[in-house]
Amino acid sequence: MSAPPSQPASPGAAPGQTGSSPGHVVAVRGPVLDIVFPADALPPLDEALVVEWDGSETLIAEVQAHLDATTVRAIALQATAGLRRGTRVVSTGGPITVPVGDAVLGRLLDVLGTPRDLGAALPAETERWAIHRAPPSLAEQTGAAELFETGIKVIDLLVPLAQGGKAAMFGGAGVGKTVLLMELIHATVEHYQGISVFAGIGERSREGHELLSDMRGSGVLGRTVLVYGQMNEPPGARWRVGLSALTIAEYFRDRKHQNVLLLMDNVFRFVQAGSEVSGLLGRLPSRVGYQPTLASEVAALEERIASVAGAAITAIEAVYVPADDFTDPAVTAISGHLDSVMVLSRAMAAEGIYPAVDPLASFSVLLDPHVVSAEHYDLAQRVRETIGHYRELQDVIALLGVEELGAQDRRIVARARRLQRFLAQPFAVTEAFTGTPGRSVRLADTLAGVRAILDGETDTWPESALYMIGALSEAKRPEPEGGARASAVP
């Protein structure tokens, strides 16, 4: 991901489009460039500029503000160390573009579409699309009602995902967002018949290498595109990499009429990069120090993720929650665009319940008897009621002990604890660390297991028998008093 690749002269620029009158750099403040153009050749906002310097790679900048009739302020998408005032700048006549089409399948690209996987350069005739595009009109969009089964029990039961919907997992640091997203990639990409696009926004280099190696090993890389803006890159690259990945996904949806699975990690870093850019441009901060354009920037990304007739983009996103504060403006701005929300609980992670999806805080618009079956809906509601009642009693249990509860309450507490352990699940992506093989569970098996626990069929079983298993048939019955060996549940 860091080797200098061979590349066209102006990656990220619109080929064949060049402004007639060049400008020159008059100020450099990190990634912020002030550039003077002739009064009759001032480039518009969001236009790509090529800085003709003597660096090892072509430097691309994007116009963000007009300071006066001849000066623009632009954000560079690469490091500007060594850039001098007076350097010539050429307007491309259009926005930043990225390569699209079959040529990018199986490749790892940066924000400008340059290959970073040590492979060959993309063919010169590869089509390029602008990263700034309008979302489909409401008349073109179609609803999302077809379930997207993942094989992860707690998600399929309580937070069903939609084909063509938008889902996100919210959580603070260290509660398992990236691991859950990697497991969703493992669980869905291998069985997914469409194209997969992964956007690594502010990702670590190690995570990018691991994902690339895993996809090569599983044989799904040929139907996948990886687009990265790493955390060591300037904020402009991290700010625009989500739009680059989304543009590639839109090509396969609109031109090829293929379903696309779009995976994004981490959308909060997109907001964070936008906040950095806003501060560098000298804008006054808004609530909690975020950029005043927070809502419109999030909407510009999220509203383009849509389904049209014949093809859909299904998005699964990871979102960091700063300081576990779910009222943070970035979190609320993102959550307003979603169909399914998975909230990861630090308290559940501390108890060893993974995935740490909070059954009460998480929700999905798909959990409706008109979409899922009536049995599924009723079981999900019973699970929430049981775990909710258990949480109401936790303070009493902590003070007096479970023995002071009535018989009915003790029974509810026991079933809630068994439900929590049954909804925990070993992951394939953590097998190398835990030694426990990953499990993928069909929805029918999940519903059957939950029904058995709620109906009291497992009341005499130890809680540990239900922990980190797949279907209920993998649990072990308690040993009979006669000393016979335990057998698997039929």
Side-chain angles (χ1 to χ4, degrees), residues 326-462:
F326 286 89
T327 64
D328 186 87
V331 174
T332 55
I334 295 168
S335 61
H337 295 274
L338 304 172
D339 304 313
S340 303
V341 171
M342 293 162 266
V343 176
L344 303 187
S345 162
R346 190 172 300 281
M348 293 181 64
E351 293 179 20
I353 307 295
Y354 289 102
V357 177
D358 189 327
L360 303 185
S362 304
F363 66 89
S364 171
V365 297
L366 275 295
L367 190 60
D368 184 288
H370 294 94
V371 179
V372 300
S373 66
E375 179 197 23
H376 182 166
Y377 177 78
D378 291 340
L379 285 172
Q381 295 304 106
R382 289 177 63 190
V383 166
R384 285 190 167 139
E385 290 171 7
T386 302
I387 294 177
H389 192 68
Y390 167 50
R391 291 190 180 175
E392 291 173 359
L393 297 171
Q394 280 183 321
D395 287 343
V396 176
I397 295 170
L399 290 172
L400 304 175
V402 72
E403 295 80 9
E404 297 300 318
L405 300 177
Q408 178 70 10
D409 284 342
R410 286 202 304 272
R411 186 160 51 247
I412 290 173
V413 167
R415 291 177 184 174
R417 290 176 61 86
R418 285 170 172 79
L419 280 170
Q420 286 184 329
R421 280 148 183 77
F422 176 68
L423 293 177
Q425 186 169 339
F427 283 169
V429 296
T430 60
E431 183 176 341
F433 307 101
T434 64
T436 304
R439 296 285 189 273
S440 179
V441 184
R442 295 184 305 116
L443 176 60
D445 293 335
T446 298
L447 297 179
V450 167
R451 188 189 312 107
I453 295 170
L454 289 171
D455 290 345
E457 296 178 24
T458 64
D459 284 356
T460 59
W461 300 10

Side-chain angles (χ1 to χ4, degrees), residues 44-347:
L45 296 180
D46 293 334
E47 184 157 310
L49 309 175
V50 179
V51 181
E52 298 182 341
W53 69 329
D54 54 1
S56 59
E57 294 188 348
T58 303
L59 179 59
I60 302 294
E62 185 180 69
V63 178
Q64 290 299 317
H66 291 159
L67 302 183
D68 54 42
T70 60
T71 309
V72 301
R73 181 160 288 169
I75 290 290
L77 272 64
Q78 297 103 338
T80 59
L83 178 61
R84 297 185 298 271
R85 286 182 293 178
T87 302
R88 188 172 184 265
V89 180
V90 176
S91 172
T92 63
I96 293 169
T97 64
V98 291
V100 295
D102 294 339
V104 301
L105 292 175
R107 304 304 302 270
L108 188 150
L109 311 173
D110 65 11
V111 63
L112 300 175
T114 305
R116 296 289 180 176
D117 52 8
L118 306 181
L122 297 174
E125 66 274 11
T126 302
E127 187 175 357
R128 302 184 73 96
W129 277 23
I131 66 170
H132 297 288
R133 305 176 61 81
S137 67
L138 288 176
E140 295 176 300
Q141 295 183 27
T142 58
E146 183 182 348
L147 294 183
F148 192 84
E149 194 168 322
T150 66
I152 300 174
K153 291 180 287 189
V154 66
I155 293 177
D156 290 340
L157 174 67
L158 298 174
V159 200
L161 308 185
Q163 176 88 17
K166 286 177 279 192
M169 53 206 74
F170 292 83
V175 296
K177 297 183 301 299
T178 297
V179 172
L180 181 54
L181 185 65
M182 293 300 106
E183 183 66 16
L184 282 167
I185 290 173
H186 183 274
T188 57
V189 169
E190 290 190 21
H191 309 290
Y192 190 70
Q193 298 304 310
I195 301 297
S196 302
V197 179
F198 179 85
I201 305 174
E203 283 287 271
R204 303 169 183 88
S205 299
R206 169 186 57 80
E207 294 171 339
H209 282 294
E210 287 177 357
L211 181 60
L212 182 61
S213 299
D214 290 346
M215 289 198 164
R216 278 177 175 156
S218 60
V220 300
L221 188 60
R223 292 184 287 110
T224 305
V225 186
L226 307 178
V227 189
Y228 275 85
Q230 297 175 145
M231 61 169 54
N232 64 336
E233 295 188 56
R238 290 180 272 120
W239 191 37
R240 291 310 191 199
V241 68
L243 299 183
S244 298
L246 184 52
T247 300
I248 295 172
E250 287 174 326
Y251 172 86
F252 287 104
R253 180 196 66 189
D254 299 338
R255 182 69 62 81
K256 297 286 190 177
H257 305 292
Q258 292 177 288
N259 290 329
V260 183
L261 178 62
L262 177 64
L263 305 134
M264 305 179 77
D265 186 12
N266 185 303
V267 180
F268 176 79
R269 295 194 189 115
F270 161 76
V271 173
Q272 200 172 37
S275 180
E276 291 179 51
V277 168
S278 180
L280 290 168
L281 293 173
R283 296 174 184 154
L284 291 175
S286 182
R287 285 198 305 155
V288 199
Y290 284 109
Q291 61 270 42
T293 52
L294 170 64
S296 59
E297 288 177 12
V298 171
L301 177 72
E302 296 287 353
E303 291 305 306
R304 285 170 58 182
I305 303 172
S307 302
V308 297
I313 296 179
T314 303
I316 301 176
E317 309 167 6
V319 183
Y320 168 70
V321 178
D324 291 344
D325 179 13
F326 286 89
T327 64
D328 186 87
V331 174
T332 55
I334 295 168
S335 61
H337 295 274
L338 304 172
D339 304 313
S340 303
V341 171
M342 293 162 266
V343 176
L344 303 187
S345 162
R346 190 172 300 281

